[in-house]
Amino acid sequence: LQGMCRAYATQCPASDVMEYAIQAEMRCTGCGATRNPVPEHELIAKLAVPNSYCLQTAIDLWLAPEILHDVACPTCQSQTFGKTKQLVLAPSVFILQLKIFNSNGTKKVQPLRRNAGSTVKVGIHDYHIFAVVTHAGASLMNGHYMSYTEKNAVWVCFDDDNVMRNKHWQTDDGQQENETPYIFFLRR
């Protein structure tokens, strides 16, 4: 989807609804000189899976300040920068992909903690989870995908030809057994 929309640039209707932008600021820890790269525009945010494996924690870590080493400051030659990120373009529909697979394609086995409600905060914006794609299986090349959508407070599970009403992607303990939440669709 991202490649297709880049090919059509501003003509892609998905960009109008789903494009977000992150502005990063890098500040030298030695002299305070700043670098402000051009905002990064994307359609799908790819988030690392934190140890707590909670969606809100993954979002918070994605936007958290970082310390960058081995970046030379042109002013003082310091090798350390602090990097902060800010969401400067908040989409109407935010797509978040959790990095649940290792580089060799095997799945990181860690259950998702139950999200407190169906709302998450991205920067200063509140988003409602309205759809989730889950993966059941041991690896990227071996498994099965299911989708869950919510409309008018009713969740529906789509599993190939089976459509199940009132089946939520989360249980009281967290995720459905043998399923790992993979992609989240959020609405502002």
Side-chain angles (χ1 to χ4, degrees), residues 33 37 75 84 90 96 100 107 134 175 184:
T75 306
T84 57
L96 306 177
I100 63 170
K107 191 186 292 185
T134 64
Q175 67 197 40
F184 291 85

Side-chain angles (χ1 to χ4, degrees), residues 32-102:
T34 61
R35 291 184 188 175
N36 295 318
V38 175
E40 300 171 20
H41 292 258
E42 295 288 341
L43 295 176
I44 300 172
K46 295 168 183 73
L47 310 180
V49 178
N51 289 337
S52 66
Y53 199 27
C54 170
L55 179 59
Q56 186 63 62
T57 303
I59 293 167
D60 294 344
L61 288 173
W62 179 58
L63 292 172
E66 302 174 59
I67 298 294
L68 305 175
H69 300 283
D70 299 324
V71 179
C73 176
T75 306
C76 74
Q77 304 309 311
S78 170
Q79 295 291 311
T80 308
F81 273 78
K83 180 179 179 181
T84 57
K85 295 176 269 190
Q86 180 180 354
L87 184 67
V88 293
L89 175 61
S92 299
V93 174
F94 216 140
I95 303 173
L96 306 177
Q97 174 191 339
L98 294 180
K99 296 178 184 177
I100 63 170
F101 298 105
N102 294 308

Side-chain angles (χ1 to χ4, degrees), residues 14 19 22 31 37 61 73 91 99 114 119 126 152 154 165 177:
E19 182 178 26
I22 294 287
C31 68
L61 288 173
C73 176
K99 296 178 184 177
R114 181 160 175 79
T119 302
D126 290 327
N152 300 325
V154 175
R165 290 178 54 79
E177 189 174 344

Side-chain angles (χ1 to χ4, degrees), residues 144-146 158-163:
H144 181 71
Y145 294 91
M146 289 179 279
F158 297 90
D159 180 4
D160 291 336
D161 293 340
N162 296 328
V163 178

Side-chain angles (χ1 to χ4, degrees), residues 101 107 133-147 157-162 178-180 182:
F101 298 105
K107 191 186 292 185
V133 175
T134 64
H135 179 268
S139 73
L140 184 60
M141 303 307 281
N142 172 342
H144 181 71
Y145 294 91
M146 289 179 279
S147 62
C157 174
F158 297 90
D159 180 4
D160 291 336
D161 293 340
N162 296 328
N178 300 322
E179 293 179 36
T180 305
Y182 182 40

Side-chain angles (χ1 to χ4, degrees), residues 8-9 16 19 28 41-42 52 56 104-105 124 126 138 143 148 153 156 166 183:
Y8 288 102
D16 296 339
E19 182 178 26
C28 175
H41 292 258
E42 295 288 341
S52 66
Q56 186 63 62
N104 65 1
I124 61 170
D126 290 327
Y148 294 82
V156 179
N166 295 314
I183 302 173

